[in-house]
Amino acid sequence: MNIFRLTGDLSHLAAIIILLLKIWKTRSCAGISGKSQLLFALVFTTRYLDLLTSFISLYNTTMKVIYIGCAYATVYLIYVKFKATYDGNHDTFRVEFLVVPVGGLAFLVNHDFSPLEILWTFSIYLESVAILPQLFMISKTGEAETITTHYLFFLGLYRALYLFNWIWRFYFEGFFDMIAIVAGVVQTILYCDFFYLYVTKVLKGKKLSLPA
């Protein structure tokens, strides 16, 4: 495992922990898109079905279980435990416009036309756009809490680091996965504007705000 893969995984884990702690400590999921979290839960569920069929390493299995468990824990906190604080009026992105096209694309463009491979490909495509409901929600409310921006920053950093991971693997292992790379590039591009605002505002102690 190279340093970019490891730091990418740790950044991803940090994002998830930041979000869970934010919700639990404030007893509120205000400003968090439940739809994005549902999409991420779907991403991890369809990607890690191989937990039932193969074992790669203890690290690999542990991280997969943590990602799935945390994803559903987040969904539970938003839609059950702290449902009264969920801002459904602003979380209005039409997720079917993401899930249906991504599902169709996974059937058409994949490495192998088998159930597990199609579901894995679906998860890769879906992850690249799963953050859109959250970004849409921020654009509708016009601002985001600082802790929410930290979550988004580490989530975007995870994808950026994984791009370097793919470059590393190509040069040193001869491994090249066009599906994962293209999806990673798309996801990183979606974060570019946010990264700029994060560096120019949040890191300087200002609240991230957008034109509504």
Side-chain angles (χ1 to χ4, degrees), residues 48-95:
Y48 298 142
L49 288 172
D50 62 345
L51 279 170
L52 305 174
T53 61
S54 61
F55 177 81
I56 298 174
S57 69
L58 181 59
Y59 172 83
N60 184 275
T61 298
T62 300
M63 293 302 282
K64 288 177 179 179
V65 171
I66 289 174
Y67 289 151
I68 293 173
C70 287
Y72 281 98
T74 304
V75 169
Y76 168 77
L77 292 179
I78 293 173
Y79 286 102
V80 181
K81 189 166 184 65
F82 302 124
K83 182 179 180 181
T85 66
Y86 170 56
D87 187 9
N89 291 329
H90 287 115
D91 193 15
T92 56
F93 193 94
R94 300 283 295 278
V95 293

Side-chain angles (χ1 to χ4, degrees), residues 31 133-144 148 152 208 210:
Q134 179 67 64
L135 297 177
F136 182 72
M137 188 175 185
I138 292 175
S139 73
K140 285 196 72 176
T141 59
E143 61 182 24
T148 305
L152 290 171
L208 187 146
L210 301 169

Side-chain angles (χ1 to χ4, degrees), residues 23-45:
I23 296 174
W24 188 257
K25 292 182 73 173
T26 63
R27 318 296 286 181
S28 170
C29 55
I32 303 299
S33 168
K35 290 186 176 182
S36 269
Q37 298 310 312
L38 280 171
L39 291 179
F40 281 124
L42 183 58
V43 164
F44 296 136
T45 302

